[in-house]
Amino acid sequence: MWQPASERLQHFQTMLKTKLNVLTLKKEPLPTVIFHEPEAIELCSTTPLTKSRTHVGYKVTYLGKVTISGTQFLSGCTESAVVGLVERRALAQQQGTCSTGNSLLEIRPFQVRLHHLDEHGEASVTMDTYQVARIAYCTADHSIRPNVFAWIYREINDDLSYQMDCHAVECESKLEAKKLAHSMMEAFRKTFHSMRSDGRIHKSGSSDDFAEDSSTPEDSTPDDG
């Protein structure tokens, strides 16, 4: 069919404009778009989502810490320290000055993490870390409270001196306390074997982190009976 020159020119310009638009779209990166079905959009809540807690551990009540003397730790060495911590917390509760102490104890090879939770026991407010190699003793055997788990930690001061601190947490049950003791023993075993295979400790079992403490969490884990 014959077309006037003006119409052919207009048709050519339209085709050229379309080609240029296609080329332009191919050059520019397309934004990432997530498509939703209309029903899904209507059901989506407009309330901001709070980040859920991803920490894995045991729910405990942190009783605090107290500095103790000595470097040789045998069965019953944490009893007096735990008694003092329990009594101190009871007094603070009577005076209305005691915090909730809601915490989450996370035991893993090389590091133990104590997450201090908010008053609702959900979000982690602060976190204390303890190097497994510096834990000299741990036990879940306490006559005053059978559900208390305690560990003795070598704290390094700014002047490079150290002190032995006894930390204690109250578990939901006696069984939970024993589970913590076994978890600590397993964490120590994995840490010890990893450090020995990496050459950071001698095959005799001594190192800068272990030499000064003759007892280990593995020695202090109570029997299940």
Side-chain angles (χ1 to χ4, degrees):
M1 177 183 292
W2 179 86
Q3 290 179 324
S6 58
E7 292 184 9
R8 291 201 302 270
L9 178 60
Q10 184 178 3
H11 178 68
F12 176 77
Q13 290 176 345
T14 302
M15 290 182 60
L16 180 61
K17 184 177 180 182
T18 303
K19 295 289 186 182
L20 289 175
N21 287 339
V22 172
L23 292 174
T24 303
L25 286 174
K26 287 184 179 180
K27 284 184 179 180
E28 296 178 358
L30 295 176
T32 302
V33 180
I34 301 176
F35 295 94
H36 297 276
E37 293 294 333
E39 294 82 3
I41 295 176
E42 294 176 359
L43 293 175
C44 288
S45 173
T46 57
T47 305
L49 297 177
T50 57
K51 187 177 180 180
S52 60
R53 187 181 65 205
T54 58
H55 307 301
V56 178
Y58 296 87
K59 286 187 176 181
V60 296
T61 299
Y62 183 60
L63 299 178
K65 68 176 182 178
V66 61
T67 301
I68 62 176
S69 58
T71 57
Q72 302 290 331
F73 304 112
L74 303 175
S75 178
C77 64
T78 60
E79 186 68 30
S80 59
V82 170
V83 169
L85 291 173
V86 170
E87 292 178 349
R88 187 174 67 182
R89 180 172 178 81
L91 180 61
Q93 288 177 334
Q94 292 177 359
Q95 297 174 348
T97 59
C98 182
S99 61
T100 58
N102 292 331
S103 304
L104 196 74
L105 189 61
E106 183 183 2
I107 300 177
R108 55 174 61 189
F110 294 100
Q111 192 177 77
V112 173
R113 298 176 181 179
L114 182 65
H115 303 271
H116 299 281
L117 308 178
D118 58 14
E119 59 182 4
H120 302 292
E122 294 296 332
S124 178
V125 180
T126 59
M127 181 182 70
D128 295 327
T129 59
Y130 308 92
Q131 301 302 318
V132 172
R134 293 184 185 175
I135 297 177
Y137 187 89
C138 76
T139 180
D141 186 15
H142 299 96
S143 54
I144 184 173
R145 295 275 179 89
N147 62 332
V148 169
F149 172 71
W151 68 95
I152 297 177
Y153 186 72
R154 186 174 67 175
E155 185 69 41
I156 306 297
N157 301 317
D158 294 335
D159 59 356
L160 299 183
S161 62
Y162 72 91
Q163 64 190 41
M164 309 305 291
D165 293 335
C166 179
H167 298 261
V169 294
E170 188 172 9
C171 306
E172 295 179 349
S173 64
K174 179 180 178 180
L175 180 60
E176 289 290 304
K178 286 184 175 291
K179 287 182 179 179
L180 280 176
H182 285 285
S183 297
M184 188 75 80
M185 178 190 68
E186 188 64 23
F188 180 84
R189 181 182 291 112
K190 290 181 180 179
T191 302
F192 179 82
H193 288 315
S194 178
M195 293 179 68
R196 185 170 61 180
S197 62
D198 292 344
R200 283 180 284 176
I201 60 176
H202 303 295
K203 289 185 178 181
S204 60
S206 61
S207 71
D208 293 339
D209 286 320
F210 290 94
E212 297 182 16
D213 302 315
S214 60
S215 58
T216 66
E218 185 174 0
D219 300 328
S220 58
T221 305
D223 297 330
D224 291 334

